[in-house]
Amino acid sequence: MKTNQISANGDSARLGGGVNTHEVINALAVHGKVTATTNGGCTSQLGPALGGGFGRYMGFFGLILDNIIDMTVVLANGTIAEVSSTSNPDLYWAMKGAGQNFGIVTEANFNVYDFPTPHWFSSEFTFAGPQLENLFKHIGDMYQPKELGSVYTTFVINPQYSTTEPMMVLHLDYAGTPDEARPWFDYFNDLHPVATRKWEALSPTEVQPAAGQDIDSGVCAHGHTWLYDLLKQLVSEHPDFNSTIGQFENYAQQGVEAVDPASTAYAHRDDGILVYVLNSFLHSHSADRIKFTVNRSFSPVYPASAANDAIATAYGNKARALWHAGDTPGRNVTAYVNYANGDESLEAVYGYESWRLERLRALKKRYDPENKFRFYNPIQ
């Protein structure tokens, strides 16, 4: 399950079902190669791929699932199937977007690529609450090229500045030359942040640690103004929640939009915003997608207790409701399968086009008639 082997011609790599992003990035870097991965070093490569797979290389290479060439799958009846565009092609389609419903992937072959650039340029800016509106107008006004792989903003209580007022920490990663990266640094630095970490050149293996997303980072441990105000209210009313964060992640979408939406079971290629609400200890979380290219998260962190669980659930539901309230009137609510809470409709998770669910249900009956793979967002 820990296979990590690049092909002789350097165009693909066979990866085991148990390898994580940190291992993939470092193993491929030895050969000057990279593939689509998540940003977090502790996530597996295959798990997120079965439902999509977001990360800083999306603008170049698409979702993680877009880069699967073939996979070895243990089916519900115990048999092993080789799955690709030419072998069990219907199952290949279903595994790429609804894979958790059909089997266990022991290994998969992925497209790999030469580094699009030898360096990423990384920087970080800290803003105070009164700067929130201007900051998010700046984010909303910008066109995100594929080289601007990720821009994410975290709402966090930083006692260095305030114990009650959340600060906003924006981190950006740009793949290119210093001259190409500089305008993006200036774009946010011109807003006069209260603190700035000077941009620096990083190799592909150094980007995750610099962003605080490596395997040993805190990330791997257990309507923007509305979210800011909600976090402020939560911390004010319940000081035990002062480690809670809210996060917005912007990813370049060019590689995702270049793929035919009908070619995989992943249904939400025309959506950009990933709204993520996580309640710690309950393992209750929901992600609903609306327009633009942002992943937004509200992540209560608190001492475990039944009373705190109830508070976290209530605030998490408030955050999700606020995002829905700010959506385009009449637009269908959609949910990213990897973050779906389980209370969304199947259409919201797997697509509102009737043919999608019809095809998935028919394949479910064929490959898992006893519904053995039903733990996570099962197809009914």
Side-chain angles (χ1 to χ4, degrees):
M1 297 290 281
K2 284 290 190 178
T3 303
N4 208 328
Q5 183 176 4
I6 197 165
S7 64
N9 65 9
D11 290 338
S12 63
R14 195 132 199 103
L15 304 176
V19 297
N20 60 41
T21 297
H22 173 87
E23 293 166 333
V24 171
I25 289 174
N26 283 274
L28 294 182
V30 174
H31 303 277
K33 298 288 184 176
V34 71
T35 190
T37 67
T38 66
N39 280 6
C42 55
T43 61
S44 74
Q45 178 72 2
L46 266 298
L50 299 183
F54 284 71
R56 59 176 54 88
Y57 284 105
M58 281 169 56
F60 291 99
F61 312 130
L63 298 165
I64 298 177
L65 64 77
D66 294 327
N67 292 278
I68 299 175
I69 302 169
D70 59 70
M71 61 190 96
T72 301
V73 183
V74 180
L75 301 177
N77 63 7
T79 62
I80 296 176
E82 298 300 327
V83 180
S84 69
S85 61
T86 57
S87 176
N88 300 300
D90 277 350
L91 185 57
Y92 180 66
W93 176 86
M95 292 295 295
K96 294 167 59 170
Q100 74 280 0
N101 284 279
F102 295 97
I104 300 168
V105 182
T106 60
E107 60 180 14
N109 204 28
F110 282 83
N111 291 316
V112 300
Y113 309 89
D114 293 333
F115 289 148
T117 174
H119 292 109
W120 284 85
F121 288 86
S122 174
S123 190
E124 195 167 272
F125 309 86
T126 300
F127 297 92
Q131 298 171 292
L132 184 147
E133 288 284 1
N134 201 19
L135 172 61
F136 278 90
K137 183 180 186 303
H138 237 52
I139 294 173
D141 288 346
M142 75 180 186
Y143 168 76
Q144 188 166 353
K146 64 182 180 181
E147 292 83 6
L148 192 58
S150 63
V151 177
Y152 64 87
T153 307
T154 303
F155 293 166
V156 61
I157 297 293
N158 185 338
Q160 178 182 348
Y161 298 101
S162 173
T163 58
T164 59
E165 299 282 339
M167 305 297 290
M168 296 159 291
V169 181
L170 181 143
H171 184 99
L172 64 84
D173 298 314
Y174 186 92
T177 67
D179 288 343
E180 293 167 339
R182 170 61 69 176
W184 291 103
F185 174 85
D186 292 340
Y187 185 74
F188 290 104
N189 200 47
D190 287 347
L191 293 176
H192 306 294
V194 297
T196 301
R197 193 191 74 198
K198 186 178 180 181
W199 61 291
E200 55 185 334
L202 302 167
S203 72
T205 60
E206 294 172 324
V207 181
Q208 280 185 334
Q213 297 169 326
D214 200 20
I215 192 167
D216 296 320
S217 69
V219 171
C220 290
H222 287 292
H224 56 269
T225 58
W226 297 333
L227 180 58
Y228 180 91
D229 290 340
L230 187 64
L231 174 56
K232 182 178 176 180
Q233 178 187 358
L234 171 63
V235 174
S236 174
E237 295 178 352
H238 306 283
D240 279 350
F241 286 72
N242 63 3
S243 294
T244 294
I245 64 170
Q247 185 159 295
F248 301 65
E249 298 181 22
N250 300 51
Y251 296 105
Q253 290 285 99
Q254 291 85 344
V256 179
E257 295 170 350
V259 176
D260 179 3
S263 66
T264 71
Y266 181 76
H268 304 311
R269 290 183 187 274
D270 62 339
D271 291 353
I273 293 184
L274 183 63
V275 181
Y276 182 35
V277 180
L278 168 66
N279 292 336
S280 303
F281 295 102
L282 288 179
H283 306 289
S284 171
H285 49 279
S286 176
D288 303 303
R289 295 173 59 80
I290 49 182
K291 292 292 181 184
F292 309 110
T293 310
V294 185
N295 166 42
R296 305 179 182 181
S297 65
F298 183 77
S299 184
V301 179
Y302 55 89
S305 72
N308 281 345
D309 286 349
I311 294 168
T313 299
Y315 275 87
N317 287 336
K318 284 181 183 179
R320 182 166 65 171
L322 287 171
W323 294 129
H324 290 331
D327 200 358
T328 304
R331 185 182 181 277
N332 289 324
V333 173
T334 52
Y336 178 38
V337 62
N338 284 344
Y339 297 157
N341 193 46
D343 58 355
E344 302 88 355
S345 70
L346 288 179
E347 289 80 7
V349 177
Y350 296 113
Y352 284 88
E353 306 102 319
S354 59
W355 65 267
R356 284 190 180 274
L357 269 176
E358 290 170 4
R359 186 176 181 184
L360 284 170
R361 284 176 171 134
L363 291 169
K364 183 70 170 177
K365 289 180 181 178
R366 186 197 312 175
Y367 288 102
D368 186 14
E370 297 179 11
N371 197 25
K372 292 183 178 179
F373 295 110
R374 62 182 182 273
F375 176 74
Y376 191 70
N377 297 301
I379 296 168
Q380 309 276 339

